[in-house]
Amino acid sequence: MKLPKEELLEIFRQTKALLEGHFELTSGLHSPQYFQCAKVLQFPKYLHLFAGEIAKHFEYSEIELVISPAIGGIVVGTEVGRMLGARTIFAERENGKMALRRDFEMKKGERVLVVEDVVTTGGSVEDVIGLVKDHGARLAGVGYIVDRSNGSVKFEAKTLSILQMDVVTYKKEECPLCKAGSKAVKPGSRALQ
Ligand code: ZN
């Protein structure tokens, strides 16, 4: 079952994972939308729904290990791992470089599924794929909830993204929302609470 896009967007709006208005992003760009995936994953039924889609897609891929880039991917990765009955770990940055810490192990030849919440540039997932290769493990798939790459990111394995959400951004000087007279708010600021 593929979840309909409009239904997914409605879940994101309801849980305030997706905000619509006029925002200044951390990059300094302006956008009519702001998305924070963690907001939807605080509800077990939605976590279960999204993780279930990913787990089902890789049900016959003989996944032995699920790994996620910290922090965003950990929650969904853990649920996918539970559903697949696979050992589940996460990678995190150490001096800027993606690494396995906490004595986590990846075995040679092990079939690995990389799970992430949101992919924008694909950098974190690519770095985790690099770890899989470095350890001589086998990349069996990549699963994530939201693809915000506007179609620019492709991984060299069986891939599932549940929702493709195009990102609209403007340079401050060119922002039509500013030109219309509204003022951008910074997400996470008090104005939004
Ligand atoms: Zn603006």
Side-chain angles (χ1 to χ4, degrees), residues 165-178:
M165 198 192 282
D166 291 341
V167 184
V168 180
T169 52
Y170 309 107
K171 285 181 192 157
K172 203 171 175 174
E173 318 76 80
E174 293 163 8
C175 175
L177 301 163
C178 284

Side-chain angles (χ1 to χ4, degrees), residues 11 13 20 24 29 71:
I11 291 171
R13 284 189 202 105
E20 284 163 332
E24 184 170 317
L29 296 171
I71 295 173

